[in-house]
Amino acid sequence: YAEELKGRGASFPAPVYKVWTSEYYKATGVKVNYTPTGSGDGVKSITKRMVDFAGTDTPLKQKGLKKEKLHMFPTVIGSVVLAYNLDGIKDGELKLSRKAVAGIFNGTITHWDDPAIAEHNAGLTLPHEPITVAVRADKSGTTFNFTYFLNQIDEQIKVSKKPTWKANKVIAGKSNSGVSANIQQIKNSIGYIEYSYKMTLGLSAAQVENKEGKFINPTLESFQDAAKYATWSPDNDFYAVIGDPAGATSYPIVAATFLLLPEEKQATNKLVTKFMEWVYTHGDAAAVELGYVPLPEETKDQIRAYWEAKRIR
Amino acid sequence: MTTDTMIMEVKDFSFTYAGASSPSLKKINLPIEKNKITALIGPSGCGKSTLLRSMNRIHDLYPGNHYEGEIRLYDGDGKGGNILEIKKENDFIKLRQDVGMIFQKPTPFPMSIYDNVAYGLKLAGIKDKSEIQGRVEKALQDAAIWGETKDRLKESAMGLSGGQQQRLCIARAVALKPDVLLFDEPTSALDPISTGAIEELIAELKKDVSIVIVTHNMQQASRLSNYTAFMYLGDLIEYGKTDKIFLNPSVKLTEDYITGRFG
Amino acid sequence: MTTDTMIMEVKDFSFTYAGASSPSLKKINLPIEKNKITALIGPSGCGKSTLLRSMNRIHDLYPGNHYEGEIRLYDGDGKGGNILEIKKENDFIKLRQDVGMIFQKPTPFPMSIYDNVAYGLKLAGIKDKSEIQGRVEKALQDAAIWGETKDRLKESAMGLSGGQQQRLCIARAVALKPDVLLFDEPTSALDPISTGAIEELIAELKKDVSIVIVTHNMQQASRLSNYTAFMYLGDLIEYGKTDKIFLNPSVKLTEDYITGRFG
Amino acid sequence: MNRLFLNKAILMLSTLSAVIGLGFLLWILITLSYKGIMSLHWSTFTNDLVEGGIRNLLVGQFTMALMASAIAVPIGMLAGIYLREYSNNGKLAAVMRNLSDVMMSAPSIVIGVFVFALLVDPFGGYNGWAGIVALAIMMIPIIISTTDNMLSLVPQELREAGMALGGSKHKIILQIVVKAAKVGITTGVLLSFARIIGETAPLLFTSANNQFFTMDLTEQFPSLTVSIYNLATYPDEASRELAWAASFVLTMVVLLINLVGRFITRSKK
Amino acid sequence: MGGTLFKNFSFFSATLSFFILVGIFAVLFNYAQEALQEFGINFLYGETWEVDEEDEGGIFGGWIPIVGTLLSTLIAMVIAIPLAMGIAIFLTEIAHEKLVKPVSIAIELLAAIPSIIYGMWGLFYFAPIVQSTVGGDGVGLLTAGIVLAIMIIPFMAAITRDAMNTVPPVLKESAYAMGATTFEVVKDVVMPYAKGGIIGSIILALGRALGETMAVAFLIGSVMSIPSRITDPTTSIPVLLANNFAEAQDLEISAMYYLALILFVVSFALISLAKFYFFRKTV
Ligand SMILES: Nc1ncnc2c1ncn2[C@@H]1O[C@H](COP(=O)(O)OP(=O)(O)OP(=O)(O)O)[C@@H](O)[C@H]1O
Ligand SMILES: Nc1ncnc2c1ncn2[C@@H]1O[C@H](COP(=O)(O)OP(=O)(O)OP(=O)(O)O)[C@@H](O)[C@H]1O
Ligand SMILES: [Mg+2]
Ligand SMILES: [Mg+2]
């Protein structure tokens, strides 16, 4: 009997999960089969007990966890970048103010040369072309975290895993990879994707204005700076939305991603935590390489204690 | 014509195809003489095949046909059962082994030459290998095709020529030692030489079995048969010795047909 | 037999089907007399249809066939072009309007009775409605089917009986006022009564056109035709006045065939 | 002349359509072969998806297609035999035949949804069996119709000849009629196999996918097609290359089976 | 008795199609209940598809995917019908004998290529061409329609050719014998004679296009919006199902089953219509 763990869900951490599972398989021979189908699918799969664990970028509130009899804890922190496809404008050159980001996604800004964009990009020649907004076709934690950020700027935009976008020209793709592919293919497009997709694909991403009015490039450092502001507590199963943090050097759109475990599946839960234990001790390097921010050591210890408490270690 | 010279007898026989509004055969009366050849002639659609196919009830492959009257099959003692009363599968199988049939187009089965002939024997319940082998050989000899096939018995029967296939089908029927053999235009798809061979074979076979043959070829009917029945639009118009029918028919319609005035 | 009594003339004509290794017709010589009926007889596969179908080059629908020799079609002045030299589409269309054809199975087009006959006229470029109407009526009368169809000209031709359909096809061909009509076993799929009607019609038609007819029915050939050609294995064995061929053939093979010794 | 010109024009357009059709075939096959071959390595065949190969996917796809055939072929053939040999071509047979044809054209995604409701939802997880059943449902009507058609080509005289020798009906069907139709039925089975092995939609919500090698049909089961769907939308080069490689292999498999099917029919006739 | 047993097994197998079809209908109908009760027939023209993340409900309407399905199919048919007819005419009336076989095989091979391959090829090779020539984003209604057309053309051409081949050669010959040109023979004899089969092939292809998932999923854009231009992205029923069925819950998944039911019923009706045409022809 070869041990195999089944998981489905968030595509946001999929690149790093892929490396982790494959390295874990090489190291221990244990198969962890994670299918990145989106957080929505992950939550549904675990509530229906179709999988051993699920990934989600949208943390569940305690009420929901109780109702569905689930445990939850974070695995890694990632960030959402605004990637674009504009001729002649290189990576990091485009600066987007908070107003501009909200305007693009709520449909009030329809063309690239809109004054709201142009005012901070004096040196760039922005085309008079309509903006194609690349979004997710599926329910997604990435979307949840991104709309959380948008909601801080414009209350009209609801925090949702799959909102109805008001932008003029919308193109949808399945999972982070689908959105990235669309941005790659379509000229004059912009979309929100997880940072590692931007890196591996060499897409261009914008500097985004943070809470303190600074334009921040998406880099590992600016993510780490942002992650410092997150507060976790095992008492509410680590529920936290860490987007739009304080700090002058923090990149504004960061998010943690979580695992959900079914309370009653003691045996497989122990296998999952064993895997996660391996990840917490051996997986940081891989995460950093892909542009994720590993959890701080004290958070990891809190999680270990949480496992002990739930007797799933 | 007394009962003991007859092998079969068709009495007041009518036949209606499933779904047809009018009968295709109407009150047919016809004796089939033992060890003689009876020819059925008539224009296309007159019911020759229908009558022939009633004689071993091959019609029953398709449901819903309607029979009336009697067709008796006599055994050695001159006693005869009405084959139209047969209901049980076993009796059907027996009937068809007693009354064999050869079709217009040769119908070799998709198997070897040997198996084609052996197949009927196996169906008849013969298990003994050497008996089967003996009877296959005998049948192929009787059907005058042994010479051409003895070296290729294991080959597929599809490889034979049309005429050879037809003789193989005759061998297959003969192997079962039937009392009657029914031929439905057995040479109309064949070339002149094969036709000659089959005609010779049929003439030869009548030593052992009684034969009914449907043909469109007047010359064939007159050359081959002892008795001839002329049919028209589902009626049997005239029956008699072949010479009589061809040289001096009593009915004008028969004469018109034989002299080619129609058909 | 001089040129001016002939409408067509086949000279040293050989024909090989595409891909066939040997010719199906070998050096055929045959005159087609004007306003006469010429019958082509012979056993199956001897090449009757092949010859007939060469006479309006309907073969050319299928590529790769090989012709040799000449087939001349004479006009009123006794001048004749070799139809085998035709290359242009226009000339083909003209040829087929001059030399009509009727097939074994009736081939009504999937349209109304009226349109079936009018179709050829429209193809021939006749636009005038009343002229078309007149010629359709005339053709239907000539083909002895006017009475049966005049009240249902707008109905589909598929609803006619086999014999009626065949006469409709003849009407269709006649409407084009052809010089020659080719019939390939026009009655072999029909019942005796329809056969009689068609035979009568053909006899009538020869007043206006010259006719070549392929038939398997010896009686039909002898009843109907003025000249008969007997073919065997791609050769033309004997040609002559019909009486002569049937009563006193010069070649043994012809006699054997006519008396039904084979075929 | 006007009508001759019209004729020429239409014939040219028809020829042009054929050229366009063939042009697309070539275009698709050439890009597929080029991208596929460039992306193929020996290790593509020896590694599982988790290590960047398609070994487990190939095995999984074939396993499901073969198991589906094992279900569909006997059922489909028996049904075809019933329709052609026993039903007497009555009203009931006509209805059954039409239903089977309707089923053949049912959208494959709907079949996927149906099997999800039947075999995934109640049993708490995507599994290989569900994929197999979905494929079998797609295959059954195809087998029914080929069997039915091929049996209809067997000359009626052959059945009558068997009957005239004293055979009982089922013996004649099994020993003569089916045998005579063997080549056609085999080809039909091959072609329908080729058809289901390229299916994606019925597998999406049934067997889902698996990165690892497995033979456990109660688990999510690996398949080429679903993986292509996932991989193709991945933006990284490695995934896309693997998708091309997998597509190339899949297409070759499908075309090969088709050609073999054709070859059998031709060499036997 | 072996015979009876065999016959019964055969009969049972033959009835299976019926049970599967009824089963599909019953299951879809049953799972769609919630949405059926909530939205009823209004579902067909509702334009909103919004999950209410608080109370497991939401507002769902099928109008956009229904329109997307119909439009992509329409575009596909408009392109495919003339081309498929042309190919069939080429194969039956024009092509040299030596060409017929290889071209037919090529066309049938094209029909055998898995649809996901069309999708991939379309996304990476065809969509950019559409974008640079017609404009738009490459993916969208037009691209999906064209690739769908390329996919159904071989299928339609093959059936149409078969139907045209059923025209007895003598019938064509007799038209030629009256002096008709090839086009006239096709128009006046072949087409009317093979009408049933040709219409049947069109409807079957239509059914295929309606239900096609993979080729369209890559290409239609997957956006829940009504396209205002032909190059705009939208979505279709199969694509919506492929993308979102797995993750949907509660009322939303019920709405998905409702969509599946609609697709199933429409294709059932279409195919029945096609059968009716075939049936009239063959009886
Ligand atoms: N299966 C059938 N169902 C209904 N009617 C049939 C069937 N078979 C034949 N008939 C009709 O029965 C009549 C007699 O047909 P039969 O085949 O016996 O003629 P035949 O004399 O053998 O003709 P042929 O010389 O053409 O073989 C014909 O009118 C025919 O149309
Ligand atoms: N399309 C073809 N291709 C190759 N050979 C052919 C073709 N059509 C006929 N033949 C051959 O040409 C020869 C003459 O055939 P044809 O059809 O002219 O004979 P027929 O005298 O009309 O016979 P029947 O009386 O059976 O109609 C035969 O050997 C036949 O096999
Ligand atoms: Mg008969
Ligand atoms: Mg002929």
PDB file of all heavy atoms in Angstrom, chain C residues 53 58 61-62 93 96 103 107-109 119 123, chain E residues 170-171 173-180 184 188:
ATOM      1  N   ARG C  53     -23.120   2.202 -74.196  1.00  0.00           N
ATOM      2  CA  ARG C  53     -22.729   3.380 -73.446  1.00  0.00           C
ATOM      3  C   ARG C  53     -21.585   4.149 -74.104  1.00  0.00           C
ATOM      4  O   ARG C  53     -21.304   5.284 -73.737  1.00  0.00           O
ATOM      5  CB  ARG C  53     -22.358   2.993 -72.015  1.00  0.00           C
ATOM      6  CG  ARG C  53     -23.566   2.485 -71.219  1.00  0.00           C
ATOM      7  CD  ARG C  53     -23.148   1.669 -70.023  1.00  0.00           C
ATOM      8  NE  ARG C  53     -22.345   2.462 -69.103  1.00  0.00           N
ATOM      9  CZ  ARG C  53     -22.846   3.235 -68.145  1.00  0.00           C
ATOM     10  NH1 ARG C  53     -24.142   3.298 -67.986  1.00  0.00           N
ATOM     11  NH2 ARG C  53     -22.061   3.933 -67.378  1.00  0.00           N
ATOM     12  N   ILE C  58     -21.257   8.143 -72.427  1.00  0.00           N
ATOM     13  CA  ILE C  58     -21.608   8.312 -71.029  1.00  0.00           C
ATOM     14  C   ILE C  58     -20.486   7.739 -70.148  1.00  0.00           C
ATOM     15  O   ILE C  58     -20.332   8.086 -68.986  1.00  0.00           O
ATOM     16  CB  ILE C  58     -22.972   7.646 -70.720  1.00  0.00           C
ATOM     17  CG1 ILE C  58     -23.586   8.239 -69.460  1.00  0.00           C
ATOM     18  CG2 ILE C  58     -22.865   6.151 -70.590  1.00  0.00           C
ATOM     19  CD1 ILE C  58     -24.424   9.438 -69.775  1.00  0.00           C
ATOM     20  N   LEU C  61     -18.037   9.879 -67.860  1.00  0.00           N
ATOM     21  CA  LEU C  61     -18.246  10.367 -66.491  1.00  0.00           C
ATOM     22  C   LEU C  61     -17.193   9.792 -65.568  1.00  0.00           C
ATOM     23  O   LEU C  61     -16.917  10.332 -64.507  1.00  0.00           O
ATOM     24  CB  LEU C  61     -19.627   9.941 -65.987  1.00  0.00           C
ATOM     25  CG  LEU C  61     -20.803  10.426 -66.803  1.00  0.00           C
ATOM     26  CD1 LEU C  61     -22.093  10.053 -66.114  1.00  0.00           C
ATOM     27  CD2 LEU C  61     -20.727  11.935 -66.949  1.00  0.00           C
ATOM     28  N   TYR C  62     -16.634   8.672 -65.958  1.00  0.00           N
ATOM     29  CA  TYR C  62     -15.605   8.033 -65.146  1.00  0.00           C
ATOM     30  C   TYR C  62     -14.315   8.143 -65.920  1.00  0.00           C
ATOM     31  O   TYR C  62     -14.278   7.824 -67.108  1.00  0.00           O
ATOM     32  CB  TYR C  62     -15.989   6.582 -64.868  1.00  0.00           C
ATOM     33  CG  TYR C  62     -17.426   6.480 -64.453  1.00  0.00           C
ATOM     34  CD1 TYR C  62     -18.421   6.156 -65.378  1.00  0.00           C
ATOM     35  CD2 TYR C  62     -17.811   6.792 -63.160  1.00  0.00           C
ATOM     36  CE1 TYR C  62     -19.757   6.115 -65.004  1.00  0.00           C
ATOM     37  CE2 TYR C  62     -19.142   6.763 -62.783  1.00  0.00           C
ATOM     38  CZ  TYR C  62     -20.111   6.416 -63.702  1.00  0.00           C
ATOM     39  OH  TYR C  62     -21.427   6.396 -63.334  1.00  0.00           O
ATOM     40  N   ILE C  93     -22.422  17.929 -74.468  1.00  0.00           N
ATOM     41  CA  ILE C  93     -23.827  18.207 -74.184  1.00  0.00           C
ATOM     42  C   ILE C  93     -24.657  18.029 -75.452  1.00  0.00           C
ATOM     43  O   ILE C  93     -25.709  17.401 -75.449  1.00  0.00           O
ATOM     44  CB  ILE C  93     -23.953  19.639 -73.602  1.00  0.00           C
ATOM     45  CG1 ILE C  93     -23.300  19.669 -72.211  1.00  0.00           C
ATOM     46  CG2 ILE C  93     -25.398  20.084 -73.542  1.00  0.00           C
ATOM     47  CD1 ILE C  93     -23.331  21.020 -71.542  1.00  0.00           C
ATOM     48  N   ARG C  96     -25.100  14.340 -76.300  1.00  0.00           N
ATOM     49  CA  ARG C  96     -26.058  13.625 -75.457  1.00  0.00           C
ATOM     50  C   ARG C  96     -27.487  14.059 -75.719  1.00  0.00           C
ATOM     51  O   ARG C  96     -28.429  13.328 -75.420  1.00  0.00           O
ATOM     52  CB  ARG C  96     -25.671  13.787 -73.989  1.00  0.00           C
ATOM     53  CG  ARG C  96     -24.466  12.910 -73.688  1.00  0.00           C
ATOM     54  CD  ARG C  96     -23.767  13.246 -72.432  1.00  0.00           C
ATOM     55  NE  ARG C  96     -22.498  12.519 -72.374  1.00  0.00           N
ATOM     56  CZ  ARG C  96     -21.517  12.842 -71.549  1.00  0.00           C
ATOM     57  NH1 ARG C  96     -21.661  13.858 -70.736  1.00  0.00           N
ATOM     58  NH2 ARG C  96     -20.403  12.141 -71.559  1.00  0.00           N
ATOM     59  N   PHE C 103     -32.404   3.622 -69.376  1.00  0.00           N
ATOM     60  CA  PHE C 103     -31.699   2.590 -68.635  1.00  0.00           C
ATOM     61  C   PHE C 103     -32.620   1.441 -68.222  1.00  0.00           C
ATOM     62  O   PHE C 103     -33.841   1.527 -68.375  1.00  0.00           O
ATOM     63  CB  PHE C 103     -31.059   3.203 -67.393  1.00  0.00           C
ATOM     64  CG  PHE C 103     -30.061   4.265 -67.728  1.00  0.00           C
ATOM     65  CD1 PHE C 103     -30.473   5.562 -68.004  1.00  0.00           C
ATOM     66  CD2 PHE C 103     -28.713   3.980 -67.794  1.00  0.00           C
ATOM     67  CE1 PHE C 103     -29.558   6.547 -68.327  1.00  0.00           C
ATOM     68  CE2 PHE C 103     -27.799   4.964 -68.114  1.00  0.00           C
ATOM     69  CZ  PHE C 103     -28.220   6.253 -68.381  1.00  0.00           C
ATOM     70  N   THR C 107     -35.340   5.863 -64.141  1.00  0.00           N
ATOM     71  CA  THR C 107     -34.597   6.849 -63.359  1.00  0.00           C
ATOM     72  C   THR C 107     -35.290   8.208 -63.376  1.00  0.00           C
ATOM     73  O   THR C 107     -34.752   9.165 -63.899  1.00  0.00           O
ATOM     74  CB  THR C 107     -33.187   7.050 -63.944  1.00  0.00           C
ATOM     75  OG1 THR C 107     -33.334   7.365 -65.350  1.00  0.00           O
ATOM     76  CG2 THR C 107     -32.337   5.829 -63.821  1.00  0.00           C
ATOM     77  N   PRO C 108     -36.489   8.279 -62.804  1.00  0.00           N
ATOM     78  CA  PRO C 108     -37.121   9.595 -62.729  1.00  0.00           C
ATOM     79  C   PRO C 108     -36.284  10.494 -61.828  1.00  0.00           C
ATOM     80  O   PRO C 108     -35.715  10.018 -60.848  1.00  0.00           O
ATOM     81  CB  PRO C 108     -38.478   9.308 -62.083  1.00  0.00           C
ATOM     82  CG  PRO C 108     -38.264   8.044 -61.324  1.00  0.00           C
ATOM     83  CD  PRO C 108     -37.262   7.257 -62.097  1.00  0.00           C
ATOM     84  N   PHE C 109     -36.187  11.769 -62.166  1.00  0.00           N
ATOM     85  CA  PHE C 109     -35.480  12.705 -61.292  1.00  0.00           C
ATOM     86  C   PHE C 109     -36.370  13.060 -60.114  1.00  0.00           C
ATOM     87  O   PHE C 109     -37.597  12.995 -60.218  1.00  0.00           O
ATOM     88  CB  PHE C 109     -35.120  13.983 -62.050  1.00  0.00           C
ATOM     89  CG  PHE C 109     -34.199  13.760 -63.200  1.00  0.00           C
ATOM     90  CD1 PHE C 109     -34.390  14.426 -64.399  1.00  0.00           C
ATOM     91  CD2 PHE C 109     -33.142  12.872 -63.105  1.00  0.00           C
ATOM     92  CE1 PHE C 109     -33.531  14.236 -65.475  1.00  0.00           C
ATOM     93  CE2 PHE C 109     -32.277  12.662 -64.174  1.00  0.00           C
ATOM     94  CZ  PHE C 109     -32.483  13.341 -65.362  1.00  0.00           C
ATOM     95  N   TYR C 119     -37.123  19.427 -67.826  1.00  0.00           N
ATOM     96  CA  TYR C 119     -35.739  19.630 -67.386  1.00  0.00           C
ATOM     97  C   TYR C 119     -34.749  19.627 -68.552  1.00  0.00           C
ATOM     98  O   TYR C 119     -33.943  20.545 -68.711  1.00  0.00           O
ATOM     99  CB  TYR C 119     -35.360  18.550 -66.362  1.00  0.00           C
ATOM    100  CG  TYR C 119     -34.010  18.760 -65.745  1.00  0.00           C
ATOM    101  CD1 TYR C 119     -33.754  19.881 -64.986  1.00  0.00           C
ATOM    102  CD2 TYR C 119     -32.980  17.846 -65.929  1.00  0.00           C
ATOM    103  CE1 TYR C 119     -32.511  20.091 -64.426  1.00  0.00           C
ATOM    104  CE2 TYR C 119     -31.734  18.038 -65.375  1.00  0.00           C
ATOM    105  CZ  TYR C 119     -31.505  19.163 -64.620  1.00  0.00           C
ATOM    106  OH  TYR C 119     -30.270  19.378 -64.062  1.00  0.00           O
ATOM    107  N   LEU C 123     -32.370  22.599 -69.989  1.00  0.00           N
ATOM    108  CA  LEU C 123     -30.919  22.441 -70.164  1.00  0.00           C
ATOM    109  C   LEU C 123     -30.526  22.790 -71.593  1.00  0.00           C
ATOM    110  O   LEU C 123     -29.465  23.360 -71.841  1.00  0.00           O
ATOM    111  CB  LEU C 123     -30.499  21.001 -69.856  1.00  0.00           C
ATOM    112  CG  LEU C 123     -30.546  20.555 -68.407  1.00  0.00           C
ATOM    113  CD1 LEU C 123     -30.014  19.148 -68.285  1.00  0.00           C
ATOM    114  CD2 LEU C 123     -29.724  21.498 -67.530  1.00  0.00           C
TER     115      LEU C 123
ATOM    116  N   VAL E 170     -26.981   5.377 -62.053  1.00  0.00           N
ATOM    117  CA  VAL E 170     -27.804   5.522 -63.258  1.00  0.00           C
ATOM    118  C   VAL E 170     -28.595   6.815 -63.250  1.00  0.00           C
ATOM    119  O   VAL E 170     -28.848   7.387 -64.301  1.00  0.00           O
ATOM    120  CB  VAL E 170     -28.833   4.390 -63.447  1.00  0.00           C
ATOM    121  CG1 VAL E 170     -28.237   3.279 -64.264  1.00  0.00           C
ATOM    122  CG2 VAL E 170     -29.406   3.914 -62.154  1.00  0.00           C
ATOM    123  N   LEU E 171     -28.995   7.244 -62.054  1.00  0.00           N
ATOM    124  CA  LEU E 171     -29.786   8.474 -61.988  1.00  0.00           C
ATOM    125  C   LEU E 171     -28.937   9.653 -62.454  1.00  0.00           C
ATOM    126  O   LEU E 171     -29.377  10.487 -63.240  1.00  0.00           O
ATOM    127  CB  LEU E 171     -30.263   8.693 -60.557  1.00  0.00           C
ATOM    128  CG  LEU E 171     -31.367   9.726 -60.395  1.00  0.00           C
ATOM    129  CD1 LEU E 171     -32.589   9.315 -61.167  1.00  0.00           C
ATOM    130  CD2 LEU E 171     -31.707   9.921 -58.930  1.00  0.00           C
ATOM    131  N   GLU E 173     -26.293   9.349 -64.298  1.00  0.00           N
ATOM    132  CA  GLU E 173     -25.993   9.135 -65.707  1.00  0.00           C
ATOM    133  C   GLU E 173     -27.132   9.619 -66.580  1.00  0.00           C
ATOM    134  O   GLU E 173     -26.915  10.202 -67.641  1.00  0.00           O
ATOM    135  CB  GLU E 173     -25.731   7.648 -65.973  1.00  0.00           C
ATOM    136  CG  GLU E 173     -24.381   7.187 -65.454  1.00  0.00           C
ATOM    137  CD  GLU E 173     -24.186   5.684 -65.616  1.00  0.00           C
ATOM    138  OE1 GLU E 173     -25.063   5.034 -66.239  1.00  0.00           O
ATOM    139  OE2 GLU E 173     -23.177   5.164 -65.126  1.00  0.00           O
ATOM    140  N   SER E 174     -28.362   9.398 -66.114  1.00  0.00           N
ATOM    141  CA  SER E 174     -29.442   9.801 -66.999  1.00  0.00           C
ATOM    142  C   SER E 174     -29.560  11.310 -67.063  1.00  0.00           C
ATOM    143  O   SER E 174     -29.965  11.851 -68.077  1.00  0.00           O
ATOM    144  CB  SER E 174     -30.772   9.144 -66.633  1.00  0.00           C
ATOM    145  OG  SER E 174     -30.975   9.177 -65.268  1.00  0.00           O
ATOM    146  N   ALA E 175     -29.143  11.993 -65.995  1.00  0.00           N
ATOM    147  CA  ALA E 175     -29.131  13.447 -66.081  1.00  0.00           C
ATOM    148  C   ALA E 175     -28.026  13.910 -67.035  1.00  0.00           C
ATOM    149  O   ALA E 175     -28.232  14.786 -67.866  1.00  0.00           O
ATOM    150  CB  ALA E 175     -28.932  14.055 -64.702  1.00  0.00           C
ATOM    151  N   TYR E 176     -26.862  13.298 -66.909  1.00  0.00           N
ATOM    152  CA  TYR E 176     -25.792  13.631 -67.852  1.00  0.00           C
ATOM    153  C   TYR E 176     -26.232  13.317 -69.275  1.00  0.00           C
ATOM    154  O   TYR E 176     -25.929  14.048 -70.217  1.00  0.00           O
ATOM    155  CB  TYR E 176     -24.520  12.850 -67.535  1.00  0.00           C
ATOM    156  CG  TYR E 176     -23.732  13.407 -66.387  1.00  0.00           C
ATOM    157  CD1 TYR E 176     -23.618  12.707 -65.184  1.00  0.00           C
ATOM    158  CD2 TYR E 176     -23.089  14.634 -66.491  1.00  0.00           C
ATOM    159  CE1 TYR E 176     -22.890  13.210 -64.126  1.00  0.00           C
ATOM    160  CE2 TYR E 176     -22.352  15.145 -65.431  1.00  0.00           C
ATOM    161  CZ  TYR E 176     -22.255  14.427 -64.254  1.00  0.00           C
ATOM    162  OH  TYR E 176     -21.533  14.934 -63.217  1.00  0.00           O
ATOM    163  N   ALA E 177     -26.972  12.214 -69.409  1.00  0.00           N
ATOM    164  CA  ALA E 177     -27.413  11.805 -70.742  1.00  0.00           C
ATOM    165  C   ALA E 177     -28.396  12.808 -71.336  1.00  0.00           C
ATOM    166  O   ALA E 177     -28.682  12.771 -72.521  1.00  0.00           O
ATOM    167  CB  ALA E 177     -28.033  10.417 -70.699  1.00  0.00           C
ATOM    168  N   MET E 178     -28.940  13.706 -70.501  1.00  0.00           N
ATOM    169  CA  MET E 178     -29.810  14.734 -71.046  1.00  0.00           C
ATOM    170  C   MET E 178     -29.014  15.996 -71.356  1.00  0.00           C
ATOM    171  O   MET E 178     -29.571  17.010 -71.742  1.00  0.00           O
ATOM    172  CB  MET E 178     -30.897  15.130 -70.045  1.00  0.00           C
ATOM    173  CG  MET E 178     -31.540  13.994 -69.344  1.00  0.00           C
ATOM    174  SD  MET E 178     -33.223  13.635 -69.814  1.00  0.00           S
ATOM    175  CE  MET E 178     -33.688  15.013 -70.765  1.00  0.00           C
ATOM    176  N   GLY E 179     -27.720  15.962 -71.097  1.00  0.00           N
ATOM    177  CA  GLY E 179     -26.903  17.120 -71.397  1.00  0.00           C
ATOM    178  C   GLY E 179     -26.713  18.066 -70.225  1.00  0.00           C
ATOM    179  O   GLY E 179     -26.483  19.247 -70.422  1.00  0.00           O
ATOM    180  N   ALA E 180     -26.817  17.558 -69.001  1.00  0.00           N
ATOM    181  CA  ALA E 180     -26.622  18.423 -67.840  1.00  0.00           C
ATOM    182  C   ALA E 180     -25.140  18.536 -67.512  1.00  0.00           C
ATOM    183  O   ALA E 180     -24.366  17.624 -67.783  1.00  0.00           O
ATOM    184  CB  ALA E 180     -27.380  17.873 -66.644  1.00  0.00           C
ATOM    185  N   GLU E 184     -25.205  21.112 -62.507  1.00  0.00           N
ATOM    186  CA  GLU E 184     -26.642  20.920 -62.646  1.00  0.00           C
ATOM    187  C   GLU E 184     -27.078  19.550 -62.126  1.00  0.00           C
ATOM    188  O   GLU E 184     -28.126  19.415 -61.504  1.00  0.00           O
ATOM    189  CB  GLU E 184     -27.053  21.094 -64.113  1.00  0.00           C
ATOM    190  CG  GLU E 184     -27.072  22.564 -64.517  1.00  0.00           C
ATOM    191  CD  GLU E 184     -26.934  22.769 -66.023  1.00  0.00           C
ATOM    192  OE1 GLU E 184     -26.670  21.793 -66.757  1.00  0.00           O
ATOM    193  OE2 GLU E 184     -27.076  23.909 -66.463  1.00  0.00           O
ATOM    194  N   ASP E 188     -29.713  19.569 -59.224  1.00  0.00           N
ATOM    195  CA  ASP E 188     -31.076  19.141 -59.554  1.00  0.00           C
ATOM    196  C   ASP E 188     -31.356  17.682 -59.228  1.00  0.00           C
ATOM    197  O   ASP E 188     -32.505  17.292 -59.087  1.00  0.00           O
ATOM    198  CB  ASP E 188     -31.350  19.368 -61.049  1.00  0.00           C
ATOM    199  CG  ASP E 188     -31.227  20.843 -61.405  1.00  0.00           C
ATOM    200  OD1 ASP E 188     -31.651  21.676 -60.589  1.00  0.00           O
ATOM    201  OD2 ASP E 188     -30.691  21.158 -62.486  1.00  0.00           O
TER     202      ASP E 188
END
